[in-house]
Amino acid sequence: MFLWEGVSEFVAVAEAESFTAAAKQLGISTAQVSRQISALENRLNTKLFYRTTRKVSLTEEGTIYYQHCRRLMDGLEEAERAISDRRDTPQGSLKLTAPVTYGEQYIMPLVVDFMQQYPEVDVTMILTNQTVDLVEGGYDLAIRLGKLSSSTMMAKRLASRTQYVCASSVYLEKYGVPHSLSELRHHNCLVGNYDHWRFQEAGKERSVKVDGKLRCASGHALRDAALKGLGLVQLPDYYISDDLAKGDLVTVLDTFREPEEGIWALYPHNRHLSPKVRLLVDFLADSLS
């Protein structure tokens, strides 16, 4: 057992790039993590990490040791999962995060259905439009929308979304229908979190700065303003699909619309999904598709 001492702490620090985040993940103190790493370095007689006040990174020897330790940890997790998989009913706690509106409309109803199917699972759901740190926050799963930034997380595509530029027929009759991206500067654009709208022109991504009389970080509020004829808005389909079907809103600039984007389940890199998380991800994917 002596050979295993400090290994889990070492792997956690290597993946989190932080002693504090690793300690939170392991449920122990930062001082204990530091002691275990120091003891491990003394035992191996080599330096495993470069430490600064801002960053922790692996040395060359640390990288080699991590690759071997990660395989050992994966094997141990696989062995434990083989036992837990024998249980018919997933159980225990899950901590999730999702964007507010999409989480309220789509994810939470499905999570509740999942909990009814598996009553021994407890869920903590954090609905926020902020991008949270999964490792530091102790999250099992995150739902992310659109294009993913470079990340150390693993991702599974659950569904897709499409962004539309639209307005009410009343607005379009009064101010005209734009046919080119350059015409947007002549229109009252209802702006959300970002003052740039994304398009595709001649097969390439195009970002256009827009401006208008209303700025609000609420898709529902922007939808309401568009329905009342205040201006053009760019929103994903889950806000406005019913309005488009009924003709209350009309799409414009369709030839410049970006291809559909992914809706993703993210979980920490180099970690196998536990049975309950894997079941939930599959449940969401089947339901949303």
Side-chain angles (χ1 to χ4, degrees):
M1 291 301 297
F2 178 78
L3 293 175
W4 280 96
E5 287 183 4
V7 170
S8 60
E9 291 86 352
F10 165 73
V11 170
V13 172
E15 293 177 353
E17 298 182 344
S18 164
F19 279 67
T20 302
K24 288 182 179 178
Q25 178 187 330
L26 296 171
I28 58 179
S29 68
T30 304
Q32 186 175 348
V33 171
S34 181
R35 284 195 298 270
Q36 290 285 8
I37 297 299
S38 295
L40 183 61
E41 289 179 325
N42 289 335
R43 191 169 81 241
L44 296 173
N45 194 28
T46 190
K47 188 180 181 68
L48 298 174
F49 293 104
Y50 295 116
R51 301 169 175 84
T52 69
T53 55
R54 293 187 176 183
K55 188 177 180 182
V56 176
S57 58
L58 288 165
T59 64
E60 183 177 357
E61 291 78 10
T63 300
I64 295 170
Y65 192 64
Y66 167 76
Q67 291 169 349
H68 288 279
C69 288
R70 183 66 262 177
R71 286 195 292 269
L72 290 172
M73 295 292 291
D74 287 345
L76 181 59
E77 291 169 7
E78 187 72 33
E80 292 181 355
R81 190 165 62 254
I83 299 301
S84 63
D85 280 349
R86 293 177 64 89
R87 294 196 298 265
D88 294 331
T89 304
Q91 53 191 280
S93 299
L94 286 171
K95 187 176 182 183
L96 318 174
T97 182
V100 177
T101 298
Y102 192 81
E104 288 177 339
Q105 287 187 226
Y106 294 95
I107 299 302
M108 272 311 301
L110 294 176
V111 168
V112 171
D113 291 343
F114 181 82
M115 294 175 71
Q116 289 179 319
Q117 188 171 340
Y118 301 106
E120 294 185 42
V121 173
D122 301 326
V123 171
T124 297
M125 169 63 87
I126 307 298
L127 294 176
T128 175
N129 293 329
Q130 301 298 316
T131 301
V132 299
D133 187 307
L134 299 192
V135 174
E136 200 158 321
Y139 290 92
D140 297 291
L141 193 68
I143 305 300
R144 298 277 167 80
L145 309 178
K147 295 181 180 179
L148 297 176
S149 59
S150 177
S151 173
T152 58
M153 299 292 111
M154 300 295 288
K156 177 174 179 176
R157 188 172 181 136
L158 301 177
S160 60
R161 71 171 185 176
T162 303
Q163 297 268 14
Y164 292 94
V165 176
C166 57
S168 71
S169 56
V170 171
Y171 175 87
L172 296 175
E173 287 169 7
K174 186 174 183 179
Y175 296 100
V177 177
H179 296 287
S180 67
L181 299 183
S182 62
E183 292 177 63
L184 285 173
R185 66 176 179 268
H186 302 304
H187 282 270
N188 186 38
C189 297
L190 310 175
V191 183
N193 287 318
Y194 307 103
D195 61 359
H196 283 73
W197 288 358
R198 292 186 288 111
F199 299 93
Q200 183 167 284
E201 186 175 28
K204 295 182 179 179
E205 293 183 8
R206 175 88 184 273
S207 177
V208 178
K209 191 176 188 307
V210 295
D211 198 9
K213 297 179 180 179
L214 175 64
R215 290 174 178 264
C216 182
S218 165
H220 287 303
L222 296 177
R223 166 186 170 270
D224 180 68
L227 286 168
K228 292 176 179 176
L230 190 61
L232 296 171
V233 69
Q234 186 178 60
L235 286 171
D237 47 15
Y238 50 85
Y239 280 101
I240 55 173
S241 55
D242 289 343
D243 303 316
L244 296 178
K246 291 186 292 186
D248 294 335
L249 290 175
V250 180
T251 63
V252 299
L253 300 172
D254 291 340
T255 56
F256 300 101
R257 186 186 306 144
E258 273 197 317
E260 62 182 24
E261 302 173 317
I263 295 172
W264 309 90
L266 264 64
Y267 53 93
H269 182 60
N270 276 334
R271 295 199 177 281
H272 295 293
L273 290 179
S274 67
K276 58 180 179 285
V277 177
R278 187 166 62 249
L279 274 172
L280 177 57
V281 169
D282 292 342
F283 183 85
L284 292 175
D286 290 343
S287 302
L288 292 171
S289 63

